[in-house]
Coordinates of all heavy atoms in Angstrom, one line a residue:
D75 N 127.6 21.3 30.4 CA 126.5 20.5 31.0 C 125.2 21.0 30.4 O 125.2 22.0 29.7 CB 126.5 20.7 32.5 CG 125.4 19.9 33.2 OD1 125.2 18.7 32.8 OD2 124.7 20.5 34.1
S76 N 124.1 20.3 30.7 CA 122.8 20.8 30.2 C 122.5 22.1 30.9 O 121.7 22.9 30.4 CB 121.8 19.8 30.5 OG 121.8 19.5 31.9
G77 N 123.0 22.3 32.1 CA 122.7 23.5 32.9 C 123.7 23.8 33.9 O 124.9 23.9 33.6
V78 N 123.3 24.1 35.2 CA 124.2 24.5 36.2 C 124.9 23.3 36.9 O 125.8 23.5 37.7 CB 123.5 25.3 37.3 CG1 123.0 26.6 36.7 CG2 122.3 24.6 37.9
G79 N 124.4 22.0 36.6 CA 125.0 20.9 37.3 C 126.5 20.8 37.2 O 127.2 20.5 38.1
G80 N 127.0 21.0 36.0 CA 128.4 20.9 35.7 C 129.3 21.8 36.6 O 130.5 21.7 36.6
H104 N 118.1 23.6 26.5 CA 117.6 22.2 26.3 C 117.6 21.4 27.6 O 117.4 20.2 27.6 CB 118.5 21.5 25.3 CG 118.6 22.2 24.0 ND1 119.7 22.8 23.5 CD2 117.6 22.4 23.1 CE1 119.5 23.3 22.3 NE2 118.2 23.1 22.1
V105 N 117.8 22.1 28.8 CA 117.8 21.4 30.0 C 116.4 21.0 30.4 O 115.5 21.8 30.1 CB 118.5 22.3 31.2 CG1 117.6 23.5 31.5 CG2 118.8 21.5 32.4
P106 N 116.1 19.9 30.9 CA 117.0 18.8 31.3 C 117.3 17.9 30.1 O 116.4 17.7 29.2 CB 116.2 18.0 32.4 CG 114.8 18.2 32.0 CD 114.7 19.6 31.4
Y107 N 118.4 17.3 30.1 CA 118.8 16.3 29.1 C 118.2 14.9 29.5 O 118.0 14.1 28.6 CB 120.3 16.1 29.1 CG 121.1 17.1 28.2 CD1 120.5 18.2 27.5 CD2 122.5 17.0 28.1 CE1 121.2 19.1 26.8 CE2 123.2 17.9 27.3 CZ 122.6 19.0 26.7 OH 123.3 19.9 25.9
G108 N 118.1 14.7 30.8 CA 117.8 13.3 31.3 C 116.7 12.6 30.6 O 116.8 11.4 30.3
P109 N 115.5 13.2 30.3 CA 114.4 12.5 29.7 C 114.5 12.4 28.1 O 113.7 11.8 27.5 CB 113.2 13.3 30.0 CG 113.6 14.5 30.9 CD 115.1 14.6 30.7
A137 N 130.9 17.6 31.6 CA 130.5 17.6 33.0 C 129.1 17.2 33.2 O 128.3 17.9 34.0 CB 130.9 18.9 33.6
C138 N 128.7 16.2 32.6 CA 127.3 15.7 32.6 C 127.3 14.2 32.3 O 127.8 13.8 31.3 CB 126.5 16.5 31.4 SG 124.9 15.9 31.2
N139 N 126.7 13.5 33.2 CA 126.6 12.0 33.1 C 125.8 11.7 31.9 O 126.1 10.7 31.2 CB 126.1 11.4 34.3 CG 127.0 11.5 35.5 OD1 127.1 12.5 36.1 ND2 127.7 10.4 35.8
T140 N 124.7 12.4 31.7 CA 123.8 12.1 30.6 C 124.5 12.3 29.2 O 124.4 11.4 28.3 CB 122.5 12.9 30.7 OG1 122.0 12.8 32.0 CG2 121.5 12.5 29.7
A141 N 125.1 13.4 29.1 CA 125.9 13.7 27.8 C 127.0 12.7 27.6 O 127.3 12.3 26.5 CB 126.4 15.1 27.8
M161 N 132.0 11.9 32.5 CA 131.5 11.5 33.8 C 131.0 10.0 33.7 O 130.3 9.7 32.7 CB 130.4 12.3 34.4 CG 130.6 13.8 34.4 SD 132.0 14.3 35.4 CE 131.4 13.7 37.0
A181 N 120.7 8.7 39.1 CA 121.0 9.3 37.8 C 119.8 9.5 37.0 O 118.7 9.2 37.4 CB 122.0 8.4 37.1
T182 N 120.0 10.0 35.7 CA 118.8 10.2 34.9 C 118.5 9.0 34.1 O 119.3 8.1 33.9 CB 119.1 11.4 33.9 OG1 120.2 10.9 33.0 CG2 119.6 12.6 34.6
T185 N 121.0 8.3 31.4 CA 122.3 7.7 31.8 C 122.2 6.2 32.0 O 123.0 5.4 31.6 CB 122.7 8.4 33.1 OG1 123.0 9.8 32.9 CG2 124.0 7.7 33.7
A213 N 117.1 17.5 38.9 CA 117.9 18.4 38.1 C 117.1 19.7 38.0 O 117.6 20.8 38.1 CB 118.2 17.8 36.7
G248 N 125.1 10.1 40.4 CA 125.4 9.8 38.9 C 124.9 10.9 38.0 O 124.6 10.7 36.9
C249 N 124.7 12.1 38.6 CA 124.3 13.3 37.8 C 125.0 14.5 38.5 O 125.0 14.6 39.7 CB 122.8 13.4 37.8 SG 122.2 15.0 37.2
T250 N 125.5 15.4 37.7 CA 126.3 16.4 38.2 C 125.5 17.5 38.9 O 126.0 18.4 39.6 CB 127.2 17.1 37.1 OG1 126.4 17.5 36.0 CG2 128.3 16.1 36.7
H251 N 124.2 17.5 38.7 CA 123.3 18.4 39.5 C 123.2 18.0 41.0 O 123.0 18.9 41.8 CB 121.9 18.5 38.9 CG 121.7 19.3 37.7 ND1 122.2 19.0 36.4 CD2 121.2 20.5 37.5 CE1 121.9 19.9 35.6 NE2 121.3 20.9 36.2
Y252 N 123.4 16.7 41.3 CA 123.0 16.2 42.6 C 124.0 16.6 43.7 O 123.5 16.8 44.9 CB 122.8 14.7 42.6 CG 121.8 14.2 41.6 CD1 121.7 12.8 41.2 CD2 120.9 15.1 40.9 CE1 120.8 12.4 40.3 CE2 120.0 14.6 40.0 CZ 119.9 13.2 39.7 OH 119.0 12.8 38.8
Ligands
LIG429 N1 123.7 17.2 35.0 C1 123.3 16.2 34.1 C2 123.9 14.8 34.4 O1 125.0 14.8 34.9 C3 121.9 16.1 33.5 C4 120.8 16.6 34.2 C5 119.7 16.8 33.1 O2 119.9 17.7 32.3 O3 118.7 16.0 33.1 O4 123.4 13.8 34.0

Side-chain angles (χ1 to χ4, degrees):
D75 179 43
S76 58
V78 295
H104 304 113
V105 69
Y107 277 1
C138 175
N139 291 77
T140 307
M161 308 298 298
T182 67
T185 295
C249 168
T250 54
H251 279 74
Y252 305 166

